[in-house]
Amino acid sequence: MNDKPTVLATDLDGTLIPLDNDPMQHSDLLQLKGHFESQSDTLVFVTGRHLASTLQAILEYDLPQPHWIICDVGTSLYRCEQDGSVARVREYFELLSNIAASSLFESVKSRLALHDELRLQEAEKQGAFKLSYYTNGSQVQAVAELLQAELKNEPFQIISSLDPVHGHGLLDVLPRDASKAFALRWWSRITGIDSNKIVYAGDSGNDLAALTAGYRAIVVGNADQQVKDQVRSAHWAARWERQLYIAKAVASSGVLEGCRYYGLLKHP
């Protein structure tokens, strides 16, 4: 793969956002910000956060301004306008509406209320096509598998991850096939951007689909070892060469390290 990438698609929490207020990560984040402010490359945020939380994170952590935002674990898509406003991509909303109607989500929500190991996340963290729950961090994978088996005949899937700050187990109920990878693939098709131009950076379970979708991938150093192993195994099985970089540095610094590896940013 010789083409220079022109797109960074990145997760936020545990990935682009600095951890522990570390000054080196803030410095590296500023380098990333300077690049996207001065170059024509495209920046896409791909996050489990809802839109308001994403916009707040941009201000709180002085993140670079993205060109597109994929929110709610791939179930909403927004275009960022030059005047600073954001516009929902209606066609993507309609696509998901055809997969799973809102009434079906209400039915699933009632069924999952019977599970004592689940706690519904705050109202602002729910989406039109996403139900989000907390569970015990050490049991998140087992609970996800249990729920997926329960919903096997429904048009839904369970995506699990860990909160990198608080250690909570996070479970999202999404329309079947919807994910960060699904949204990014749809976005690349409607924008006409080849997949070999995209670098994806992530750290957790809800990034797995995108990290193993055929894009050049960056796994930041703070990612769970299980995530690193799963991504490495998937790339090896697909016989992809030079499409995986597991950074030594963490979070923002790991993203910068990976971008330099792929040539998206130049080495100093």
Side-chain angles (χ1 to χ4, degrees):
M1 183 179 292
N2 298 317
D3 290 337
K4 178 186 177 298
T6 59
V7 176
L8 173 63
T10 180
D11 173 51
L12 295 184
D13 295 281
T15 305
L16 187 65
I17 293 175
L19 293 174
D20 303 321
N21 206 26
D22 180 75
M24 178 58 73
Q25 291 176 54
H26 281 283
S27 175
D28 290 343
L29 178 62
L30 280 176
Q31 291 193 51
L32 287 163
K33 184 175 183 178
H35 174 84
F36 285 103
E37 287 179 347
S38 62
Q39 305 296 320
S40 60
D41 292 336
T42 300
L43 180 62
V44 184
F45 287 171
V46 190
T47 176
R49 290 178 178 240
H50 57 283
L51 180 62
S53 178
T54 302
L55 298 178
Q56 177 60 36
I58 293 172
L59 296 174
E60 181 179 350
Y61 299 102
D62 195 22
L63 302 179
Q65 289 295 325
H67 301 92
W68 299 79
I69 300 174
I70 295 171
C71 292
D72 301 309
V73 200
T75 59
S76 59
L77 173 61
Y78 297 87
R79 181 178 58 254
C80 301
E81 308 291 3
Q82 290 187 342
D83 63 2
S85 64
V86 294
R88 182 195 291 271
V89 179
R90 184 71 191 178
E91 295 86 350
Y92 187 68
F93 181 89
E94 292 171 352
L95 172 67
L96 295 183
S97 296
N98 291 331
I99 297 174
S102 298
S103 58
L104 288 175
F105 272 98
E106 287 302 315
S107 173
V108 168
K109 184 178 179 180
S110 297
R111 289 167 58 182
L112 296 186
L114 302 175
H115 287 265
D116 293 337
E117 67 274 27
L118 299 179
R119 180 164 59 90
L120 198 63
Q121 292 183 25
E122 296 82 356
E124 64 270 17
K125 296 182 180 180
Q126 309 302 326
F129 302 106
K130 179 174 76 78
L131 283 173
S132 294
Y133 295 86
Y134 296 117
T135 192
N136 187 297
S138 64
Q139 299 174 348
V140 62
Q141 188 58 41
V143 174
E145 292 173 1
L146 173 69
L147 298 181
Q148 190 64 73
E150 182 175 331
L151 299 178
K152 66 180 180 180
N153 296 321
E154 306 286 349
F156 299 104
Q157 62 173 324
I158 307 295
I159 302 292
S160 64
S161 60
L162 278 173
D163 182 326
V165 177
H166 302 102
H168 300 309
L170 305 176
L171 292 170
D172 295 305
V173 184
L174 309 178
R176 185 179 298 144
D177 297 329
S179 66
K180 291 181 174 183
F182 179 88
L184 193 56
R185 184 166 57 249
W186 190 89
W187 171 84
S188 68
R189 188 168 64 249
I190 62 114
T191 56
I193 295 176
D194 290 340
S195 61
N196 63 5
K197 296 291 187 181
I198 299 172
V199 173
Y200 186 87
D203 75 302
S204 69
N206 67 23
D207 295 307
L208 273 173
L211 289 167
T212 59
Y215 308 114
R216 280 180 267 206
I218 301 168
V219 181
V220 291
N222 52 289
D224 184 80
Q225 187 59 47
Q226 184 178 18
V227 171
K228 294 177 182 177
D229 292 343
Q230 287 178 287
V231 175
R232 188 184 288 113
S233 295
H235 278 248
W236 182 86
R239 299 181 182 273
W240 292 325
E241 296 183 1
R242 290 183 59 81
Q243 285 184 238
L244 173 60
Y245 185 78
I246 298 180
K248 295 181 176 64
V250 304
S252 335
S253 298
V255 175
L256 178 62
E257 184 184 321
C259 286
R260 286 174 172 163
Y261 172 80
Y262 289 122
L264 182 57
L265 271 74
K266 294 181 179 178
H267 285 271

